[in-house]
Amino acid sequence: MRVPLRVVDGGEGAFDREIPAEVLRFASLPPSQRELLLHVHDLLDDIAYGTVVLVLQDGKVIQVETSEKIRLK
């Protein structure tokens, strides 16, 4: 699903653009959840081999654990 967005600034800057549903869904999350997802994304970018574990309590993330494996050749 895409939602059309029209931005008009009164002249040459007018354009039409569609916003992907995933972007709208992310933008509608509370700031703390967006921050958590961005943090997990950064962890996934930094680890070549290993795990990222989210620990939940009462449906909320209370801890993020990472374990990185280093492959020796």
Side-chain angles (χ1 to χ4, degrees):
M1 173 181 144
R2 292 182 178 261
V3 176
L5 171 69
R6 175 167 282 186
V7 177
V8 179
D9 67 1
E12 297 176 19
F15 60 90
D16 290 329
R17 184 175 292 185
E18 291 185 350
I19 300 174
E22 297 83 10
V23 172
L24 293 174
R25 186 172 176 205
F26 181 79
S28 69
L29 292 172
S32 61
Q33 288 184 1
R34 290 195 307 261
E35 185 178 327
L36 172 65
L37 289 173
L38 290 172
H39 183 72
V40 169
H41 180 267
D42 291 343
L43 291 173
L44 293 173
D45 278 347
D46 292 343
I47 298 175
Y49 299 97
T51 59
V52 175
V53 177
L54 302 178
V55 180
L56 303 167
Q57 183 175 335
D58 297 325
K60 297 188 190 271
V61 177
I62 61 164
Q63 187 172 326
V64 179
E65 300 174 359
T66 60
S67 173
E68 186 172 8
K69 295 184 184 281
I70 298 172
R71 307 266 171 142
L72 302 175
K73 295 180 182 185

